[in-house]
Amino acid sequence: MRRMLLFAVLTAALAVCWLMAQPAGDPLLQGLREVEVASVADAMEQLYGQQSFMSHEMRPLSPAKFAGPAVTVLMKKEEHKEGSAASQGMLDAIDNAPAGSVYVMVLENGADYAGIGGLMATAMKYRGFAGAIVDGSVRDTPQIRKLQFPVFSRGVAPSTTINHYRFAGVNVPVTCAGVKVNGGDIIVADEDGVAVVPKAHAADVLKKAQDLDNTEHSMIPFIEKFRSIKEAVAKFGRI
């Protein structure tokens, strides 16, 4: 029991430390880093009637919480013998992106291929990326965990994309785990999953998400005191 409690405390501390390490700068991004992804998803649905959250299969390697503008990378499935030259664009996207970006890679039919590994994760970490989202698998997971660099993916596989994929574009529109993402859209991620906020909607979504967070957090002591979820929902209008 004590070990489980210690693990939970360390897990929460890791997520908080990573959140605090993100660049300050834009108050809009800072606000989206602080709200819960569940509230962001609810805000997008309530304001615009849109599903903004990615598939439940998109899971983090380690606990993480971050937000940042997307740099999208599209990789098309194609068998060839050109080696890494055909994938050069996915590396250029890392070296050319500003700090605070979120690398959003989509591998066409990529469940059994690792889109990134320890080397790319190291480059992203030291260039100041907020995190990476891979619609496909990843590898070198011990190295990535040691880096404490947040990565979400659909799975883990030991394979390479070299000679199996070709770079097809950077900052192009992609569909990542069921959600459309454009370059510059805001990616918001925590242990519940990943949501996408179009840049034009970010301010309104943040305000709505903050309101939802505040309401829900106010309900907890009410439920603890009166021991009734029904009365809490009736009073606060949130579930």
Side-chain angles (χ1 to χ4, degrees):
M1 183 67 180
R2 292 179 64 186
R3 288 183 178 179
M4 292 177 64
L5 179 60
L6 178 60
F7 178 77
V9 170
L10 290 174
T11 294
L14 178 61
V16 170
C17 288
W18 183 259
L19 175 62
M20 293 176 65
Q22 298 307 297
D26 188 345
L28 189 60
L29 284 178
Q30 184 59 34
L32 287 168
R33 291 185 189 109
E34 293 171 354
V35 294
E36 297 175 13
V37 169
S39 294
V40 172
D42 286 357
M44 280 292 295
E45 184 172 347
Q46 291 179 24
L47 292 174
Y48 305 106
Q50 297 178 9
Q51 176 183 317
S52 66
F53 58 90
M54 294 186 185
S55 166
H56 67 279
E57 295 176 352
M58 189 63 74
R59 301 305 303 153
L61 286 182
S62 301
K65 184 170 179 59
F66 62 86
V71 174
T72 65
V73 173
L74 180 60
M75 302 294 289
K76 289 285 189 179
K77 186 77 172 68
E78 181 183 328
E79 298 297 320
H80 58 82
K81 298 295 183 183
E82 297 175 29
S84 60
S87 300
Q88 183 61 43
M90 72 179 186
L91 307 181
D92 293 339
I94 297 173
D95 284 359
N96 294 332
S101 299
V102 177
Y103 193 82
V104 179
M105 172 184 268
V106 173
L107 296 174
E108 186 178 67
N109 300 319
D112 292 325
Y113 291 88
I116 73 168
L119 296 178
M120 291 175 68
T122 299
M124 289 182 217
K125 162 105 182 206
Y126 285 92
R127 286 197 61 82
F129 275 71
I133 311 292
V134 181
D135 192 346
S137 287
V138 297
R139 67 180 187 177
D140 303 331
T141 55
Q143 295 176 37
I144 296 173
R145 289 192 179 100
K146 186 176 180 180
L147 280 169
Q148 296 184 3
F149 179 71
V151 174
F152 283 69
S153 72
R154 284 186 183 259
V156 176
S159 54
T160 180
T161 58
I162 302 304
N163 289 330
H164 304 293
Y165 280 83
R166 184 181 298 278
F167 171 74
V170 61
N171 285 329
V172 295
V174 298
T175 299
C176 184
V179 179
K180 184 177 179 181
V181 185
N182 293 294
D185 285 350
I186 309 302
I187 306 298
V188 188
D190 66 18
E191 290 180 75
D192 280 350
V194 182
V196 182
V197 181
K199 191 172 182 180
H201 297 335
D204 289 340
V205 170
L206 172 60
K207 184 178 185 306
K208 184 65 173 178
Q210 288 172 329
D211 290 344
L212 293 172
D213 267 6
N214 290 338
T215 298
E216 188 159 316
H217 297 163
S218 298
M219 292 174 71
I220 293 173
F222 182 94
I223 295 169
E224 291 173 343
K225 180 177 180 180
F226 296 101
R227 295 183 291 178
S228 172
I229 181 67
K230 181 179 178 180
E231 290 182 20
V233 172
K235 178 178 174 62
F236 292 93
R238 169 78 169 146
I239 185 65

